[in-house]
Amino acid sequence: MSDEKYNGLSIVTRMKECLGLDRDKDLAAHFGVNPQMVYNWKARGTIPLDQCIQLREEKGLSLDWLLLGVGISEPVREPSAGYYVDQEYTEVPLYDVEASAGDGSFFEDENIVGYRKFSNDWLTREGLNKATLALIRVAGDSMDSTLHDGDTVLVDLSKRKPDGVFALRFGDALRIKRLQRMTDGSLRVSSDNEMYREEVVHPENLDQIEIIGLCHWRGGRVF
């Protein structure tokens, strides 16, 4: 976290950018506050957290981007052919698939329903290849408190070797689980919610599982 990004001036700039505003007084009017408050955010380095949360609810923006300038900069847009890359951002496809964090969510086709933008600088720092990324949504509560129902998860399709939290197909179900390779070749499949039982897949049954990719990042409500 750099001081340059994590300060009131930078946050105010991003707020005005996402609202299409040029003047501080217009930003103040949007939030129903005195223009002096916006000045204080910039001059004193105050973090306007309540207003950032309000913008997140209004625009579907990421708090990571509003506060730090990293990750998603825009909400989901309508799909188009392929993924889009410009000098600053890459649009990663969001698939019409809910990865169950419970008993499993069945599907037939993985159709792209939209895209979300990620900063190219952030992708580089995280060691991610834009060509091997996908977004899916979580359904269920078995990964609480790591992942919550409705969260969006960025999956790195190039990383498929346990250990860690992975998206996987288990039979006809798409799930997100914590995987651990055991010394005997078995695969331990566990949930972060203690209400769910651990599963062990023995070597002779590993063909029933397809590891899709490593869950690298999540976006969702603040609890």
Side-chain angles (χ1 to χ4, degrees):
M1 178 185 306
S2 69
D3 292 337
E4 179 182 356
K5 289 183 178 179
Y6 199 73
N7 60 51
L9 176 59
S10 297
I11 293 171
V12 167
T13 299
R14 287 189 285 272
M15 283 178 161
K16 290 191 292 187
E17 176 185 337
C18 73
L19 290 170
L21 302 175
D22 295 321
R23 301 180 299 179
D24 289 354
K25 70 176 185 178
D26 294 330
L27 184 65
H30 179 84
F31 291 120
V33 300
N34 191 294
Q36 180 65 37
M37 181 174 290
V38 177
Y39 173 82
N40 290 341
W41 295 341
K42 296 165 61 176
R44 299 179 182 177
T46 307
I47 308 302
L49 182 58
D50 289 344
Q51 287 74 22
C52 286
I53 293 173
Q54 178 181 332
L55 267 186
R56 186 204 178 285
E57 295 300 320
E58 291 177 357
K59 301 291 185 179
L61 299 170
S62 163
L63 282 177
D64 284 347
W65 181 76
L66 284 168
L67 293 171
L68 303 172
V70 299
I72 294 172
S73 66
E74 293 184 2
V76 175
R77 68 166 176 82
E78 292 301 312
S80 61
Y83 62 83
Y84 172 76
V85 181
D86 61 22
Q87 291 184 349
E88 296 185 3
Y89 300 101
T90 292
E91 291 186 337
V92 177
L94 173 67
Y95 287 86
D96 185 19
V97 174
E98 286 190 336
S100 174
D103 292 330
S105 182
F106 294 89
F107 64 96
E108 293 182 356
D109 297 314
E110 297 176 346
N111 296 321
I112 295 174
V113 294
Y115 293 81
R116 288 189 174 181
K117 282 188 177 182
F118 286 80
S119 161
N120 288 334
D121 286 342
W122 181 79
L123 293 177
T124 299
R125 289 197 301 270
E126 295 295 309
L128 297 171
N129 182 345
K130 56 182 174 286
T132 60
L133 299 176
L135 290 163
I136 56 177
R137 289 197 175 101
V138 176
D141 64 356
S142 78
M143 288 302 290
D144 283 355
S145 58
T146 303
L147 300 171
H148 302 288
D149 184 39
D151 280 354
T152 300
V153 177
L154 180 67
V155 181
D156 184 350
L157 305 176
S158 69
K159 296 180 180 177
R160 300 182 180 180
K161 293 183 178 180
D163 300 339
V165 176
F166 288 83
L168 63 144
R169 286 192 183 92
F170 201 161
D172 291 329
L174 182 66
R175 301 184 180 183
I176 292 180
K177 296 294 179 183
R178 190 172 297 278
L179 302 182
Q180 181 182 5
R181 184 75 68 180
M182 310 300 290
T183 56
D184 64 355
S186 299
L187 192 64
R188 176 180 291 168
V189 182
S190 59
S191 304
D192 288 356
N193 185 338
E194 295 180 354
M195 298 294 293
Y196 289 79
R197 292 187 302 174
E198 177 183 287
E199 301 172 76
V200 176
V201 181
H202 297 287
E204 62 270 21
N205 297 321
L206 288 177
D207 58 352
Q208 299 177 10
I209 288 184
E210 177 189 357
I211 299 176
I212 296 172
L214 177 70
C215 297
H216 186 91
W217 171 94
R218 63 164 287 271
R221 290 180 55 200
V222 177
F223 287 82

